[in-house]
Amino acid sequence: MLNSRLNILLIILILSLVGCNSENDEMRDKENTQTGMSASWAYPFVKWNNETYVVTEEVVSETNIGKRIGEVTVYLDEEGTYGGNFSNIYKEGTEYYEISNINTKELIAIKNDKGQFIKAVISDKNENKKNLEEVTIYKMDKDSKRIVITDKEAIKTIKTAIKSAEKQPGIVNMADPQYKINLGDEIYFLWLTRSGGTIGIIMNAKDTGTIYSLSEKSTTQLNELLLKFKLR
């Protein structure tokens, strides 16, 4: 019983500290934070030939690039339904290419502003997005950094942390989250501290009245993962 009360007090203390830091920058960062919360998509993508392609981080060698097949005609970073060759990440005029010996119903390549060809994988919602096992993490600050993780072990670490989190009683006044995690159709908010041995906190966006505490092991692993991807 004593340990349970100490854990709850520790959670409230962490949230208070995070809240204080957020309040110090509230006026400066408010607009950016709100934009990140309301205008972020589940993943970066392009549309071509009435199909949606999820943009990966994988670079395709120029020797494997085929003919040009189109370009972005509409760019907007706010969620909605748009026609044409729409993208939520690339500007108008960004070119699409075939990848040699691969059906465009599976993959295409996007030529970015650095001249690199980036692989984009077709999104098949009817097959649970086959070959699109990934997690997107947003850092909820003025920089609004974002990473897309496709590494299986990293995804396993994130899933395990969420699955093993323990529900905490009561309703806590939440400070702005430090991170947003998009995992399939679920969205989670995450709070972490840098110091070792301190628990982290996670919340499902569908139930903002309930918080879950992460184990010390999961907190450490997530901190290390975010440091690896330069989000800490």
Side-chain angles (χ1 to χ4, degrees):
M1 179 67 71
L2 179 59
N3 287 337
S4 177
R5 290 179 179 175
L6 288 175
N7 278 340
I8 294 172
L9 289 173
L10 182 56
I11 291 171
I12 295 172
L13 177 60
I14 293 171
L15 295 177
S16 298
L17 290 173
V18 174
C20 288
N21 289 333
S22 298
E23 288 173 5
N24 289 337
D25 297 324
E26 183 176 0
M27 295 304 295
R28 183 183 61 188
D29 296 342
K30 184 176 180 181
E31 181 177 349
N32 290 319
T33 300
Q34 289 177 339
T35 300
M37 290 287 286
S38 62
S40 57
W41 301 75
Y43 45 78
F45 67 87
V46 299
K47 296 200 72 170
W48 174 71
N49 201 23
N50 294 320
E51 298 284 0
T52 298
Y53 293 78
V54 178
V55 178
T56 71
E57 296 181 320
E58 185 175 344
V59 177
V60 181
S61 171
E62 190 168 353
T63 59
N64 294 325
I65 296 300
K67 69 179 181 180
R68 180 183 180 279
I69 55 176
E71 65 180 40
V72 176
T73 58
V74 180
Y75 162 77
L76 281 171
D77 61 359
E78 294 185 357
E79 291 190 69
T81 302
Y82 307 98
N85 289 347
F86 172 74
S87 178
N88 66 344
I89 184 172
Y90 291 115
K91 303 292 185 180
E92 289 91 346
T94 301
E95 298 175 328
Y96 305 159
Y97 288 83
E98 289 182 342
I99 299 177
S100 301
N101 301 318
I102 296 180
N103 193 317
T104 54
K105 287 292 185 180
E106 297 179 13
L107 304 171
I108 62 173
I110 314 299
K111 188 175 183 180
N112 66 17
D113 56 6
K114 296 179 181 178
Q116 297 173 312
F117 294 93
I118 308 300
K119 181 186 290 185
V121 184
I122 197 165
S123 173
D124 190 345
K125 294 183 178 179
N126 294 325
E127 296 184 19
N128 296 318
K129 297 181 181 177
K130 182 175 61 176
N131 299 324
L132 294 177
E133 183 71 8
E134 63 183 30
V135 175
T136 304
I137 303 179
Y138 300 82
K139 187 174 183 181
M140 307 302 290
D141 62 6
K142 64 181 184 299
D143 296 325
S144 298
K145 292 181 181 178
R146 177 192 63 201
I147 58 169
V148 178
I149 298 175
T150 56
D151 179 79
K152 291 183 179 180
E153 285 303 313
I155 293 173
K156 183 179 178 181
T157 296
I158 295 169
K159 286 183 174 180
T160 300
I162 294 172
K163 186 177 180 180
S164 62
E166 295 186 359
K167 183 178 179 180
Q168 296 299 319
I171 299 176
V172 181
N173 237 346
M174 302 299 292
D176 291 337
Q178 294 168 294
Y179 300 94
K180 183 176 76 168
I181 300 175
N182 286 59
L183 176 58
D185 294 328
E186 299 293 333
I187 297 175
Y188 299 90
F189 298 123
L190 176 66
W191 291 259
L192 288 175
T193 62
R194 289 180 181 274
S195 57
T198 305
I199 57 173
I201 300 164
I202 199 159
M203 170 193 289
N204 191 310
K206 294 179 181 177
D207 181 12
T208 56
T210 306
I211 60 173
Y212 297 80
S213 63
L214 303 174
S215 68
E216 291 186 9
K217 180 180 178 181
S218 291
T219 300
T220 299
Q221 289 177 331
L222 290 180
N223 266 313
E224 291 174 351
L225 185 66
L226 293 172
L227 281 170
K228 177 182 176 181
F229 288 99
K230 300 179 180 179
L231 279 188
R232 288 296 276 163

